[in-house]
Amino acid sequence: MRNESRAGRTPGSRKRPALLWLLLPYVLFLAALPLVNRVTPTVLGLPFLFFWMLVATLATPLSVWLARRGDLKRGRV
């Protein structure tokens, strides 16, 4: 194994903590959904579940941008 480093990993398998931002949409859309499945509290005239989905939808491009920005800082494209 010529391309392996001393730790036994290949050079392309370094840790990429910026990719943890990509878990945010998953958590907002799926993991937290049973907790926010309510109608009674209204936020800005919307049922709470609709408001939660709106916030999750708007947060998704932000999290993707943060993950890309983190990769670019580490020198990955």
Side-chain angles (χ1 to χ4, degrees), residues 3 9-16 76:
N3 290 337
R9 289 183 272 161
T10 60
S13 66
R14 295 181 292 177
K15 291 184 180 180
R16 296 166 66 182
R76 294 179 175 258

Side-chain angles (χ1 to χ4, degrees), residues 13-58:
S13 66
R14 295 181 292 177
K15 291 184 180 180
R16 296 166 66 182
L19 293 182
L20 291 176
W21 284 110
L22 297 178
L23 289 176
L24 181 68
Y26 173 77
V27 170
L28 289 178
F29 277 111
L30 296 177
L33 193 60
L35 303 174
V36 299
N37 192 9
R38 300 191 177 125
V39 176
T40 49
T42 58
V43 181
L44 301 173
L46 295 170
F48 188 68
L49 180 61
F50 287 173
F51 177 75
W52 184 267
M53 288 293 144
L54 178 66
V55 169
T57 302
L58 295 175

